[in-house]
């Protein structure tokens, strides 16, 4: 799914008040963490994931893996918090149309 700039801005606004629902632990990105991310995306569509990486390179590796495996769209990365969006089978968030 490809989002327009307008849709990304809308989702950033929606995510502003959200708290992280998933946090990677000391084991990193495991199958259990992936399952929790996918479950949370199905329920909420828009979630925050806290990634306690040691440096920027490690953080980017986690972000790439999470996006690839969950097939979600990266809305934003602020510090160590990743905002993800994946539209559910029955959409709850209505995205704005246009550019």
């Amino acid at each position: 799914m490809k989002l327009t700039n307008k849709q990304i801005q809308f989702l950033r606004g929606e995510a502003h008040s959200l708290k992280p629902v998933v946090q990677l632990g000391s084991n990193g990105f495991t199958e259990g963490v992936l399952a929790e991310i996918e479950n949370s995306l199905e329920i909420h569509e828009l979630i925050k994931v806290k990634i306690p990486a040691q440096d920027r390179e490690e953080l980017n590796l986690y972000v790439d893996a999470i996006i690839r495996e969950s097939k979600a769209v990266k809305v934003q990365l602020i510090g160590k918090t990743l905002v993800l969006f994946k539209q559910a089978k029955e959409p709850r968030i209505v995205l704005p149309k246009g550019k």
Side-chain angles (χ1 to χ4, degrees), residues 16-77:
H16 182 72
S17 62
L18 297 178
K19 302 280 187 234
V21 294
V22 179
Q23 180 166 344
L24 271 66
S26 59
N27 293 335
F29 184 54
T30 63
E31 287 183 22
V33 172
L34 175 61
E36 189 59 37
I37 289 171
E38 288 176 337
N39 186 41
S40 297
L41 283 168
E42 184 61 36
I43 294 168
H44 303 289
E45 292 184 319
L46 184 67
I47 65 168
K48 285 184 178 178
V49 179
K50 193 80 168 166
I51 306 170
Q54 299 299 321
D55 58 31
R56 197 82 169 139
E57 188 176 315
E58 181 183 11
L59 178 68
N60 288 332
L61 288 173
Y62 280 132
V63 168
D64 292 343
I66 290 168
I67 292 168
R68 181 180 61 248
E69 296 298 320
S70 67
K71 296 176 182 66
V73 177
K74 174 181 146 188
V75 174
Q76 177 173 39
L77 179 64

